[in-house]
Amino acid sequence: MSYKSGRHFLQIPGPSPVPDRILRAMDYPTIDHRGPEFAELGKEVLAGIKRMFKTESPVIIYPASGTGAWEAALVNTLSAGDKVLMCETGQFATLWHELATKLGLEVEFIPGDWRHGADPQAIASHLQADTDHRIKAVCVVHNETSTGVTSRIAEVRKAIDGTGHPALFMVDTISGLASADYRHDEWGVDVTVSGSQKGLMLPPGISFNALSDKALKAAEQATLPKSYWDWQPMLASNATGYFPYTPATNLLYGLKEAIGMLEEEGLEQVFARHQRHAEATRRAVRAWGLEVLCLNEQEHSPVLTTVLLPEGQDADQLRKVILDRFDMSLGAGLGKLKGRVFRIGHLGDINDLTLLGTLSGVEMGLACAGVPHQSGGVQAAMAYLSDTGA
């Protein structure tokens, strides 16, 4: 292969590019994870990650992908045969459904079109019909990475409360944390699932369960088998800054730096930056004459934009052209959207010029691939960013 100058543009919706500061923070010798130096690191990151979730409750850190944290949320709170209510908002909601089924849970799956978030009223209707309270948990994906749709978690919580149903409320914000506003305590979430490789700007490899008192009480009665995922040994060790088994030490160095970077900018400013870049991207897409997959203006993701191509156009071929010509990776269509959409990630360590470079690559790629479109998308984004800059 010939050398390609310049940086590769990794514009998928996660893993997101890892900033140099975080790479340098991870580039330290691994220390004794039973020694006093590690205890200080452990206490610092366990306290800091709670601020990212906006919670006063414990957050457990696993050396695992987000899928592991999905499993941990279920096996610590539920028993075989328990019924859970889930919403078909996209590919990742579908995969969580499949995982729950494999664990021996009964899943009631509210169908969706992959262009809208979870419907609070539909959830309420299913809970109202469950007069025997067989549903033990409601599971919702906050930011659906396959579609670019963000569910309205506060409204879902309000809908659940309106029914008086005692079900646990579990939320996957794997791609939302530290990119989209998220409030574990204020929104009354019992278990929040997340991962390192999105808004936290880390490589893949660590994931999280943020807990509530209600979730901890449910764990006392849950009988699904667990060992590696068991919350209790983790909580006991975490109290002194340690872990019950070997932690991902160098990723924890990176997590400490990531939390520091996010707090230097300020979480509210981080969220505003993501919203601004998302709006600029949608303006570019519409100027090209293409369609944003998300149909509800209230549910547009600040993390990514999923673009629906005209009938007969191959989104995977477009992505290949853009990768080959401009050394830029865009997200593929997943599941039932395969070949029909491409996904532009605009999360993590990104600024105006990074976004405009990304959109330039897309606009040139559309022309190179022969996809019918109008020019001017980059100009539309540029005008918006110029008008709304600091």
Side-chain angles (χ1 to χ4, degrees), residues 202-357:
L202 293 163
I206 52 176
S207 58
F208 311 94
N209 276 179
L211 313 181
S212 73
D213 287 343
K214 183 176 177 180
L216 289 167
K217 288 184 175 66
E220 295 173 4
Q221 307 299 322
T223 60
L224 277 175
K226 52 194 165 289
S227 175
Y228 182 85
W229 305 117
D230 194 345
W231 287 344
Q232 299 310 319
M234 291 289 273
L235 292 168
S237 292
N238 287 174
T240 53
Y242 295 107
F243 290 76
Y245 40 72
T246 307
T249 304
N250 289 63
L251 284 172
L252 296 181
Y253 293 153
L255 178 59
K256 175 183 172 180
E257 188 69 20
I259 292 168
M261 290 172 67
L262 289 161
E263 293 187 329
E264 282 176 32
E265 184 175 357
L267 277 180
E268 300 312 311
Q269 286 72 32
V270 171
F271 301 148
R273 170 167 57 84
H274 281 77
Q275 290 284 4
R276 181 168 166 270
H277 286 156
E279 175 61 27
T281 303
R282 293 192 296 272
R283 290 184 181 220
V285 172
R286 288 163 181 155
W288 292 325
L290 300 178
E291 190 174 355
V292 176
L293 186 71
C294 178
L295 292 176
N296 186 338
E297 288 294 323
Q298 294 180 295
E299 295 177 337
H300 285 304
S301 171
V303 175
L304 73 146
T305 299
T306 299
V307 184
L308 182 64
L309 286 189
E311 196 70 34
Q313 297 296 317
D314 185 345
D316 289 339
Q317 176 60 26
L318 170 64
R319 290 174 49 254
K320 183 179 185 303
V321 168
I322 291 172
L323 178 62
D324 291 345
R325 290 290 299 272
F326 308 114
D327 198 20
M328 181 167 73
S329 295
L330 298 170
L334 301 175
K336 64 175 68 175
L337 296 176
K338 180 175 174 54
R340 298 177 56 204
V341 304
F342 66 94
R343 297 175 295 148
I344 304 171
H346 36 74
L347 72 159
D349 188 37
I350 185 172
N351 60 22
D352 289 5
L353 291 182
T354 309
L355 181 66
L356 289 172

Side-chain angles (χ1 to χ4, degrees), residues 124 127 154-165 167 187-188 214:
L127 293 177
E155 293 183 32
V156 174
R157 176 74 265 178
K158 185 177 179 180
I160 295 171
D161 290 345
T163 68
H165 198 287
W187 292 346
K214 183 176 177 180

